[in-house]
Amino acid sequence: MGILTKWNTCRVDGDQIRMGNTVEDIKCDFVENLFCTQGKFPEVATINDCYGAVAHTVRNRLLHRWIATSRAYYEKASRTVIYLSAEFLMGPQLGKNLINLGIYEQAREALADLGLALEDILAYETEPGLGSGGLGRLAACYLESLATLEIPCIGYGVRYEFGIFQQKIDNGWQVEMSDRWLRLGYPWEIVRPEIAPEVKLGGHTEHYTDELGRQRVRWIPDRVLMGVACDMPLIGYAVNTANMLRLWKAEAARSFDFQAFNVGDYYRAVHEKVVSENITKVLYPNDEPAVGKQLRLEQQYFFVSCSLQDMIRIYLQRKESLHEFHEKYVIQLNDTHPAIGVAELMRLLVDEHRMDWEQAWDITSNTFAYTNHTLLPEALEKWPVSLFAKILPRHLEIIYEINRRFLDQVRVRYPWNEEKVQDLSLIEEGHEKYVRMANLACVGSKAINGVAALHTELLKQTVLKHFHDLWPEKFSNKTNGVSPRRFIVLGNPGLTRLITSKIGDTWPRDLGELRKLEQYVDDSGFRDQWRQVKLTNKGRFAAMIRDQVGIEVDPESMFDIQVKRIHEYKRQHLNILHIITLYNRVKRDPGMDLTPRTFIFGGKAAPGYFMAKLIIKLINSVADVINKDPDVGGRLRVVFFPDFNVKNAQYIYPAADLSEQISTAGKEASGTGNMKFSLNGALTIGTLDGANVEIREEVGAENFFVFGLTAEEVCRQKTEGYSPRNSYLEHPELRGVIDLIDSGFFSHGDQDLFKPLVRSLLEYDEYMLFADYLSYIEGQDRVSLAYRDEQHWQRMSILNVARMGKFSSDRAIKEYCKDIWHVQPVHVEVRETFMAE
Ligand code: NBG
């Protein structure tokens, strides 16, 4: 019932302007917000004030639906998906919210009436960079689809005060700048200081016997802090459902500083506060080795503990006991970052809620499901047992107990097979012992999945082979997907209008509808319009390049783009080898017939990843030489576009002709950029890796430029002994390229600068660039030829878009709902007025 027993005696006037969707309603609400939330009058309002006023105008409309949604969930006690993720790369919120609410045009008109351009406001908005790349962005697309499909869901994560660093390029090198995204406030969040669970750290455990004579354990921490809930409403597309993303911010526990005060140590109390708040200060990029980073383990435990406590709190609002916890919730672990949740739920159930171990385990192992996102051995999380003992002493005991019981089962299943036991164990033995988070996730989960068909197969054959042998029924594949609302409707309005004019407007909700475009491939008028849209998008991006990088590029040239994290396995340097190959050809024969190309790179390197940073320097150094060479005459241009993020991605994908998806086969779990490009009409040059395999299957081999070794061939060559030096000696063009870099030609004569890169390629070539070089160059030559046949290129581009329906995140989410989550949609009605009658 609550304490507001007579709330329905009041009518809220002003509902109309806070909820209405007409131009007039939006205008009035904007002006009211300028006064009441920004405290400004129009004559002195800054762009930041105007952004704030628009954001609050939109937020009012979200909140209204958010309340209706939580009321519906409360009344129906709905089964709920919990998406636990250390990263959510949400992107700018304004445009997406306008699209999903269906008021984009009205808002544009309302602002225009007031003398403001919506485009300027959108360009002003910054984004919370609370993720490093694909994994965090996938989480954001999934939350958007969950809301669109009307599935009850809460996303839980960390409210980092500094998100992923901002990237500047200085003299060709990456420079990291701190991301102060909260500096001007953040209008999309609602802070709830009263939702503030306590989190313990460190200390020791005590075993005791309770009043009923049972053995119990008490954890005596040496630090206690508090998580404060910061919520963001997430509206679905063309529905009333608004789900919640709840991010936790660390603060000092109120009760804690008194201890210091009591002895008069005021400074220590303040110090404790600062130390506590450190926990959610900064995001660690997930491609930076984490072993030994105490703060990162604390971060993971902190947000997982807050989230599980919060779920229990919500659950106990309606129920007395926790015995059906797993019927109310299913928790998806987004990689192993939140895998400590398995031990934490056991601790909460057994120690705090006094449940028996067996029952607690039954609930826990029926609540969690685990998604693996990488096969790279260096990215598989493990923590030194010594660190665990120091920070999470009780969890270490619980993990040992889970392991003891689990390995007993293993020994029954595989008698006398200590090798199996060692592989499956949650603990890696050795000089230094480690807790293996992937093993903990597998043992604690009812379902395990990979993120593309090939990746899931490789998981079963390699890193999780022993778990697959043990529990084949737990495994399934869930190929990733992306939100068509953000990556087509919002990012590519020209294409959206053209598609809608032909096949109607249901496709953003039902992406399979795009198939209907196939009937227009032979319509030359349509192909012309298609080409025109692309040209406009390229012009838009060319202007951004001019403004931000100072390089003129020609929108008529082929835009050949590779944007993603910089990593050796993603092989940006293979792309560079192709560029230098073309350059050498031009230098040999300046009059040659060359398909003009603009090569564009974007992406951040982990701050501590030397080789990735050197690759950025190489790209910029090659750009400097080629862009200035009169023999090239502007036919080749190379651009490194700085600070790749969700916001500028929305301009980049729609402007691409060619998408570079060139990782070593078997290394990229799925990729999602590959999907975003193809959905915007770019053709792909790619290896048979990750979701490329399925994209090629869908769009047709004839509309995809494939090259390179297969995952199997990579593996075979490695075991048979691969010699990069032989490839170097065998291919004269490759030799020319490597020798040119080595000579100091791109580094003002400095022969040392790129030595580490050249040497690592010639001596190890871990990612087999040389093995794939020839095939890549041949593939690129096919691309150049194809681009000259304008009409045919447009046909291929149309067919790519028409056949990409599978890669909507809606499809992926439906599969999770059906196979893993077993959860139903809850339809939300919005009542006429804010308050119920
Ligand atoms: C990344 C993979 C990508 C994949 C995304 C989303 C990690 C650990 N993995 O290939 O490298 O597309 O996850 O699944 O960030």
Side-chain angles (χ1 to χ4, degrees), residues 224 233 273 345 370 412 456 534 611 623 651 660 825:
V224 180
K273 181 170 159 55
L345 185 56
Y370 160 51
V412 170
T456 301
K534 181 64 78 184
M611 210 56 110
Y651 295 93
E660 299 271 352

Side-chain angles (χ1 to χ4, degrees), residues 196-443:
E198 288 201 334
V199 176
K200 305 179 213 177
L201 288 169
H204 63 278
T205 62
E206 283 176 6
H207 292 244
Y208 68 99
T209 311
D210 71 9
E211 358 26 288
L212 299 171
R214 285 178 303 194
Q215 285 299 305
R216 298 263 164 220
V217 181
R218 216 173 359 235
W219 175 13
I220 318 290
D222 55 23
R223 280 186 286 156
V224 180
L225 48 122
M226 184 172 91
V228 173
C230 303
D231 296 347
M232 249 172 99
L234 301 169
I235 183 85
Y237 177 75
V239 290
N240 290 318
T241 302
N243 284 331
M244 168 170 92
L245 172 61
R246 176 160 284 171
L247 302 177
W248 301 102
K249 166 171 109 177
E251 289 193 0
R254 257 160 310 203
S255 56
F256 199 64
D257 35 9
F258 286 120
Q259 293 176 5
F261 266 128
N262 289 343
V263 292
D265 193 350
Y266 171 74
Y267 294 100
R268 206 195 94 194
V270 173
H271 178 72
E272 290 295 342
K273 181 170 159 55
V274 172
V275 170
S276 301
E277 287 170 3
N278 268 345
I279 292 214
T280 52
K281 273 277 180 252
V282 65
L283 166 81
Y284 290 100
N286 69 356
D287 48 3
E288 184 117 14
V291 178
K293 289 196 177 137
Q294 174 171 338
L295 200 60
R296 168 130 189 190
L297 179 60
E298 291 178 357
Q299 247 177 18
Q300 295 183 348
Y301 174 63
F302 164 78
F303 95 87
V304 167
S305 177
C306 289
S307 309
L308 288 169
Q309 292 184 62
D310 196 47
M311 290 161 61
I312 291 176
R313 178 185 63 79
I314 295 170
Y315 180 88
L316 292 178
Q317 285 173 352
R318 310 221 34 166
K319 298 244 186 183
E320 308 257 287
S321 94
L322 287 163
H323 294 161
E324 285 156 12
F325 188 79
H326 56 295
E327 281 163 24
K328 164 78 179 168
Y329 295 118
V330 52
I331 304 178
Q332 193 67 38
L333 298 171
N334 197 28
D335 217 283
T336 53
H337 317 138
I340 185 63
V342 172
E344 173 67 355
L345 185 56
M346 284 301 286
R347 186 190 69 82
L348 289 166
L349 295 177
V350 172
D351 293 357
E352 310 228 331
H353 294 271
R354 304 195 155 207
M355 204 180 269
D356 313 333
W357 182 278
E358 286 74 18
Q359 183 165 32
W361 183 247
D362 190 50
I363 291 172
T364 300
S365 56
N366 277 298
T367 299
F368 287 98
Y370 160 51
T371 305
N372 172 289
H373 292 266
T374 185
L375 296 162
L376 298 184
E378 67 269 27
L380 289 177
E381 281 195 304
K382 53 182 193 179
W383 295 103
V385 163
S386 54
L387 184 65
F388 239 91
K390 192 168 112 193
I391 306 200
L392 301 170
R394 177 58 184 143
H395 295 79
L396 188 59
E397 290 177 356
I398 291 174
I399 287 170
Y400 276 136
E401 181 61 15
I402 295 173
N403 202 32
R404 188 184 66 75
R405 290 169 184 247
F406 168 58
L407 293 182
D408 280 351
Q409 280 176 33
V410 172
R411 289 194 176 98
V412 170
R413 174 80 183 268
Y414 305 102
W416 315 114
N417 190 344
E418 274 310 296
E419 210 180 306
K420 274 277 182 200
V421 171
Q422 273 185 25
D423 278 312
L424 288 164
S425 174
L426 307 192
I427 306 294
E428 182 181 303
E429 303 289 338
H431 175 60
E432 165 108 69
K433 288 187 184 180
Y434 293 95
V435 180
R436 296 165 164 162
M437 301 311 274
N439 294 37
L440 177 60
C442 285
V443 173

Side-chain angles (χ1 to χ4, degrees), residues 83 87 132-139 142 286-287 334-335 337 371-376 379 450-452 455 478 480 565 569-570 667-675 689-691 816:
Y83 204 81
E87 301 193 1
S132 5
L135 173 139
R137 183 54 230 175
L138 184 78
Y142 279 3
N286 69 356
D287 48 3
N334 197 28
D335 217 283
H337 317 138
T371 305
N372 172 289
H373 292 266
T374 185
L375 296 162
L376 298 184
V451 290
H455 169 235
K478 298 287 168 281
N480 286 168
R565 294 292 292 212
Y569 86 80
K570 295 178 189 279
K667 301 289 179 193
E668 188 71 88
S670 161
T672 42
N674 47 5
M675 301 168 188
D689 198 14
Y816 278 97

Side-chain angles (χ1 to χ4, degrees), residues 58-227:
V58 174
R59 187 175 115 159
N60 284 339
R61 282 145 185 83
L62 294 180
L63 288 190
H64 176 55
R65 288 165 175 82
W66 196 15
I67 289 165
T69 304
S70 42
R71 181 174 275 149
Y73 292 170
Y74 181 81
E75 283 165 2
K76 299 200 171 124
S78 329
R79 178 166 164 81
T80 303
V81 176
I82 303 294
Y83 204 81
L84 270 192
S85 179
E87 301 193 1
F88 287 95
L89 200 43
M90 300 306 291
Q93 292 297 294
L94 178 58
K96 178 212 63 171
N97 284 333
L98 289 171
I99 300 266
N100 284 10
L101 286 166
I103 56 170
Y104 193 93
E105 285 311 316
Q106 293 91 312
R108 182 214 296 280
E109 214 179 298
L111 293 179
D113 282 358
L114 296 161
L116 276 173
L118 175 59
E119 285 64 35
D120 293 345
I121 304 276
L122 290 172
Y124 173 78
E125 185 177 23
T126 54
E127 65 176 88
L130 310 188
S132 5
L135 173 139
R137 183 54 230 175
L138 184 78
C141 283
Y142 279 3
L143 292 188
E144 200 266 350
S145 277
L146 278 154
T148 298
L149 295 170
E150 306 183 300
I151 304 292
C153 166
I154 305 174
Y156 281 115
V158 186
R159 183 178 174 278
Y160 303 102
E161 189 177 329
F162 300 102
I164 188 76
F165 62 88
Q166 287 178 12
Q167 181 192 54
K168 291 247 153 56
I169 300 297
D170 184 9
N171 187 28
W173 293 98
Q174 165 174 298
V175 176
E176 298 95 24
M177 319 269 289
S178 60
D179 164 52
R180 298 168 61 211
W181 68 285
L182 289 163
R183 196 167 40 105
L184 296 169
Y186 189 62
W188 305 103
E189 89 179 345
I190 292 170
V191 181
R192 304 197 182 281
E194 61 188 352
I195 300 184
E198 288 201 334
V199 176
K200 305 179 213 177
L201 288 169
H204 63 278
T205 62
E206 283 176 6
H207 292 244
Y208 68 99
T209 311
D210 71 9
E211 358 26 288
L212 299 171
R214 285 178 303 194
Q215 285 299 305
R216 298 263 164 220
V217 181
R218 216 173 359 235
W219 175 13
I220 318 290
D222 55 23
R223 280 186 286 156
V224 180
L225 48 122
M226 184 172 91

Side-chain angles (χ1 to χ4, degrees), residues 514-543:
L514 289 177
R515 283 265 170 196
K516 292 186 180 156
L517 289 172
E518 281 198 36
Q519 59 188 297
Y520 300 101
V521 281
D522 293 324
D523 174 341
S524 64
F526 181 70
R527 287 203 304 264
D528 268 358
Q529 289 175 295
W530 193 267
R531 184 186 117 83
Q532 204 50 52
V533 166
K534 181 64 78 184
L535 201 59
T536 308
N537 293 337
K538 287 162 77 176
R540 185 175 75 160
F541 184 39

Side-chain angles (χ1 to χ4, degrees), residues 814-825:
K814 283 184 196 159
E815 290 180 7
Y816 278 97
C817 287
K818 182 166 152 289
D819 304 337
I820 299 179
W821 299 337
H822 309 295
V823 53
Q824 301 299 321

